[in-house]
Amino acid sequence: MNHNIVVRLDAPVRRSYTIRIQSGILDDLPDTIAREWRGKDVFIITDSNVRRLYGTRLLRALSSRNISSCLLDFPAGEQSKNAEVVRRLHTQLLAQGIRRDSLIVALGGGVVGDVAGFAAATVLRGVKYIQVPTTLLAQVDSSVGGKVGIDHPLGKNLIGAFHQPSGVYIDPRTLHSLTAADFRNGLAEVVKIAAALDRKFFEQIERTSRRITKNGLRLLSDIIARSVALKVAVVEKDEFESGLRKTLNLGHTLGHAIEASMNYTLKHGEAVAIGLVAESRIAVNMGLLKEQDHMRLRNTLRRLKLQTTFPKIKSRSRFFAALAADKKSDAGGTKFVLLKGLGYSVIGVQVPTPFVAQACGFPIV
Ligand SMILES: NC(=O)c1ccc[n+]([C@@H]2O[C@H](COP(=O)([O-])OP(=O)(O)OC[C@H]3O[C@@H](n4cnc5c(N)ncnc54)[C@H](O)[C@@H]3O)[C@@H](O)[C@H]2O)c1
Ligand SMILES: [Zn+2]
């Protein structure tokens, strides 16, 4: 049930780190930090919910081992992924005496990982950090690969950096306290990884979809390990997303535009699930994907209790502006990752606007 996955990155400099997946690993973390980061000052960054659930306990355990540590937090939720929160963190880190050899611990979901990772990448031109993801989404996806950043009023994740963590500690037991909605949210990214990269894994999710629960630790640990291993293989080949890594944006081109145009009232994974279905509809309409595969994808997401129908978008202009601001855009327009089968994707597909409008249920003008 324990999995260790090593991430090997060779260029521009050799860097490797290990992703450890193990029930109860959070309880061992203070000893691990005492052993592996001896003498470093530790700054835990978390959000208001995770502080209460796991943060205070971790701080106490570090202090009782005489590790100089402090705990910083910000209000939970996507709305905190902004420049103001990062500026406040910078101020607190500097005021508390952070140095280049200090260690930041990103303890929380994907928002904490992205924000704390970005603060770590930028304060004093970069300090080391470790990821301790506590949501399913963060455990299967966002804690791996070193993409960190914040949102901008013009669109999602537009400000950021690549800053690899020095280690990732995944404790599936932390998922017990997750809400059902946040658990489902993470399953959307699992389906994305499987559909984009690995047919067998997709079929495993399809087969076991009704049995996947946040308390089913054995099945869950395997799903997390498989998702992480698939993502690691991609990141090792294309750390800076010049090609292959773009496949992991499946469902995200429309997903991000949905999130931004709905003022982040949907959870990221909820928007991704809708994006996966609408983008696979585009793939069918463009003659890339079989209707039957589109239906299998949609039905799997439904069995995982994810919404798949396109929401009402009040401001279509905001939606298309967010689409145009997408990082995958270039002078030729927005590029999509589309499926050509379950487990197989193509990157860089130019999609004419009428196909987008049709898949989103907008009237075609
Ligand atoms: N950097 C990347 O590669 C990458 C990849 C995918 C997603 N993301 C980003 O991740 C973010 C979404 O992450 P998320 O869904 O984890 O959101 P989140 O961090 O907001 O967490 C969701 C909620 O769960 C709470 N929570 C966290 N751990 C908990 C626990 N163990 N028990 C109970 N509650 C807990 C949080 O306080 C929050 O209210 C988005 O901003 C998305 O853009 C980044
Ligand atoms: Zn995502």
Side-chain angles (χ1 to χ4, degrees), residues 47 49 78 81 110-111 114 134-135 142 147 156 174 177 185:
D47 71 18
N49 293 333
E78 183 73 28
K81 246 178 90 168
V111 168
D114 283 8
T134 60
T135 62
S142 62
K147 270 202 208 173
K156 190 160 157 78
T174 58
S177 52
N185 187 39

Side-chain angles (χ1 to χ4, degrees), residues 6 17 81 104 115 138 180 186 201 210 217 255 265 285 301 329 364:
V6 178
Y17 59 93
K81 246 178 90 168
I104 289 180
V115 169
F201 186 34
R210 290 191 202 284
L217 281 186
T265 47
N285 292 349
L301 289 163
S329 296
I364 299 169

Side-chain angles (χ1 to χ4, degrees), residues 42-48 50-51 55-56 59 69-75 85-86 88-98 104-107 112 116 119:
V42 175
F43 295 82
I44 308 165
I45 300 183
T46 190
D47 71 18
S48 45
V50 182
R51 178 186 181 111
T56 317
L59 179 71
S69 42
C70 77
L71 178 60
L72 307 175
D73 72 296
F74 56 79
V85 167
V86 172
R88 217 176 306 137
L89 286 173
H90 282 157
T91 306
Q92 290 170 323
L93 291 167
L94 294 168
Q96 300 279 347
I98 191 164
I104 289 180
V105 177
L107 173 72
V112 167

Side-chain angles (χ1 to χ4, degrees), residues 4 80 86 101 124 149 162 199 205 234 270 293:
N4 287 341
S80 284
V86 172
D101 66 350
L124 304 176
F162 289 94
R199 184 178 184 90
I205 304 290
V234 168
E270 290 172 338
D293 286 344

Side-chain angles (χ1 to χ4, degrees), residues 20-36:
R20 297 193 163 81
I21 304 162
Q22 190 185 318
S23 276
I25 203 170
L26 189 57
D27 297 335
D28 301 335
L29 193 60
D31 286 334
T32 309
I33 290 177
R35 204 173 47 244
E36 292 180 18

Side-chain angles (χ1 to χ4, degrees), residues 137 141 189 192 252 256 268 272:
L137 183 142
D141 195 345
E189 298 279 21
K192 170 204 76 176
H252 282 62
H256 283 167
H268 176 70
V272 168

